[in-house]
Amino acid sequence: MPSNQDRENKTPHLPEDYDAKISTVLPYYRSFHEETINLVRSLPKPPKVWMDTGCGTGTFIAKAIEHFPDTKFLMLDPSEGMLKQTREKLSSCSCDRVKILEASATQDFTQELSEQTDVITAIQCHHYLDMENRKKAVAKCYELLKDGGFFITFENISPLTKEGISVGKRYWADFQRVHKRTEEEIEIHLERFGTEYFPITVEEHLKLLRETGFRTVELFWYSYMQAGFYCIK
């Protein structure tokens, strides 16, 4: 029987406990949602079509949909379990407001869409990818956006130096202690850095996004070992 460490190292949070645990692990997780919604609200006009890739259990879009009454949301995630939770959470929404797409990782998405998207969000989903697949995932988002469309992503990031990584991990561990995680849980989580998920530096993010073809690439949020970027096609 696999140990607790083996189970955590091989799978992110399960669908049924994801929402309960994520805020005890990621500092300011709710701010990722709030700041993304605020950014989209600041656009000259609301998006007609908004895709959320790595949508998880649908919590983020359940918040966003209240602010954008005329927007259609496309929900994408590689996990059927997460999409099941999303269907339940957004069951009161009509099919012209929310469409659950076939389960797929961003980089493997091939389902045809009837129209290009105005906004694509990817919150805490691409840092599990190696660099080759990360590039494919970002390129897929670029492809699906219409000209002038916004790509907004939050990711775990790597500090610039080895010493910075050590400082960041201690800082992050303290946050988790405050939120009542055990020392074993904290150790297991931090051991996954660079082995089960693969954060890159802010500089590497900016370079990748520019090389993908986005005409505007900006860092707009940064704290602990997470950062938020927006790009315009």
Side-chain angles (χ1 to χ4, degrees), residues 68-184:
F68 302 93
D70 299 318
T71 298
K72 181 175 183 178
F73 292 90
L74 308 178
M75 312 295 286
L76 179 66
D77 198 275
S79 166
E80 290 282 6
M82 292 290 191
L83 292 176
K84 180 181 178 182
Q85 293 276 323
T86 296
R87 287 188 186 93
E88 293 172 358
K89 189 169 292 181
L90 299 176
S91 60
S92 63
C93 300
S94 63
C95 60
D96 63 337
R97 293 296 319 279
V98 175
K99 180 178 182 179
I100 310 295
L101 299 171
E102 297 169 6
S104 173
T106 312
Q107 69 275 15
D108 299 324
F109 182 71
T110 57
Q111 187 175 345
E112 287 192 21
L113 302 179
S114 59
E115 53 189 328
Q116 288 183 299
T117 56
D118 301 284
V119 170
I120 295 178
T121 45
I123 297 181
Q124 294 297 122
C125 65
H126 292 158
H127 56 263
Y128 292 105
L129 304 176
D130 59 26
M131 184 56 81
E132 179 181 357
N133 281 303
R134 187 190 290 266
K135 289 179 178 178
K136 290 179 180 178
V138 175
K140 176 58 67 172
C141 292
Y142 181 88
E143 173 191 329
L144 294 171
L145 280 170
K146 64 175 57 173
D147 288 344
F150 271 67
F151 173 55
I152 305 168
T153 183
F154 276 79
E155 292 287 2
N156 291 331
I157 57 93
S158 176
L160 299 174
T161 63
K162 185 176 181 179
E163 187 172 21
I165 292 173
S166 296
V167 171
K169 284 183 174 182
R170 291 197 301 270
Y171 192 32
W172 200 351
D174 284 344
F175 170 85
Q176 295 182 53
R177 288 188 188 98
V178 169
H179 288 78
K180 311 303 182 183
R181 298 202 96 203
T182 67
E183 292 301 317
E184 181 182 12

Side-chain angles (χ1 to χ4, degrees), residues 51-68:
M51 174 188 280
D52 188 37
T53 185
C55 68
T57 65
T59 297
F60 170 49
I61 296 305
K63 299 174 185 177
I65 202 167
E66 297 179 5
H67 299 277
F68 302 93

Side-chain angles (χ1 to χ4, degrees), residues 191-208:
E191 283 180 352
R192 297 175 64 221
F193 184 99
T195 59
E196 296 295 327
Y197 66 92
F198 306 97
I200 60 177
T201 67
V202 167
E203 293 176 351
E204 289 172 320
H205 270 289
L206 296 172
K207 182 174 184 289
L208 168 58

